[in-house]
Amino acid sequence: MGDMKDKTLTWQKHFSTGNAFANAGDNENALVQLQKASRICPDHALTWNNIGVAKMCLGYFEEAIEYFNKAIELDSQYKDAYHNRGLAHSDVGDLASSIEDLSKAIELDDCYWSAYRHRSIVYHMIGNDRKSSEDYIKAQMLYESED
């Protein structure tokens, strides 16, 4: 039992430290800590998602997609991983996949204002102004209702 507790505490230390680095904008050190955490608890979807976010912040969009894939493989209902993968897909120019992922995030949470906002941008990029406008209005309405 002690080994499991030690493992959990070690994972928590690396995970928390990695997130603190990421929140401070130090994505290189965030990656080091989060990758250590992923080796300790490889079945933790949030760890893989956060590695993907750090990779995306460093401009490694293709690599980030692979980490979001892993998070989704572990938790098919993980809306943030779909949202983040949608952002990464738009950064590499795969707008159809971006819309698909952002739509999945919205399907999982129809009050996910930032997914509507980002999907609005992607719809604008492909020239679908009607859907872009609808999503933008929905995002604004949801965002304002949070206050």
Side-chain angles (χ1 to χ4, degrees):
M1 188 70 156
D3 286 345
M4 185 60 159
K5 184 178 180 185
D6 291 343
K7 180 180 172 180
T8 301
L9 289 174
T10 303
W11 169 84
Q12 182 65 45
K13 181 187 113 206
H14 290 300
F15 183 76
S16 297
T17 302
N19 287 336
F21 278 127
N23 290 336
D26 185 350
N27 290 292
E28 292 286 350
N29 280 314
L31 274 176
V32 170
Q33 294 300 313
L34 292 168
Q35 287 170 334
K36 287 179 182 179
S38 74
R39 287 190 290 277
I40 296 166
C41 289
D43 60 344
H44 193 265
L46 181 56
T47 302
W48 296 105
N49 179 72
N50 290 7
I51 292 171
V53 171
K55 288 280 188 178
M56 199 164 49
C57 289
L58 291 168
Y60 303 120
F61 306 113
E62 292 285 350
E63 288 180 37
I65 290 168
E66 294 308 312
Y67 288 100
F68 299 134
N69 288 345
K70 179 69 173 172
I72 291 166
E73 177 184 310
L74 291 167
D75 181 358
S76 64
Q77 303 300 299
Y78 192 179
K79 70 178 184 179
D80 293 334
Y82 284 103
H83 176 254
N84 293 331
R85 190 173 70 178
L87 295 177
H89 278 302
S90 71
D91 284 328
V92 298
D94 185 354
L95 302 183
S97 293
S98 178
I99 288 174
E100 185 177 316
D101 281 340
L102 294 168
S103 296
K104 179 65 176 180
I106 290 166
E107 176 188 314
L108 292 169
D109 178 358
D110 66 351
C111 293
Y112 198 171
W113 71 265
S114 60
Y116 280 104
R117 178 69 178 107
H118 290 123
R119 192 173 70 174
S120 167
I121 293 166
V122 177
Y123 275 135
H124 178 74
M125 291 169 73
I126 63 171
N128 191 332
D129 293 334
R130 182 185 59 78
K131 286 187 177 183
S132 175
S133 179
E134 288 171 1
D135 275 359
Y136 180 81
I137 291 166
K138 179 76 173 183
Q140 286 300 111
M141 184 181 71
L142 290 169
Y143 179 77
E144 290 169 4
S145 72
E146 284 188 353
D147 293 337

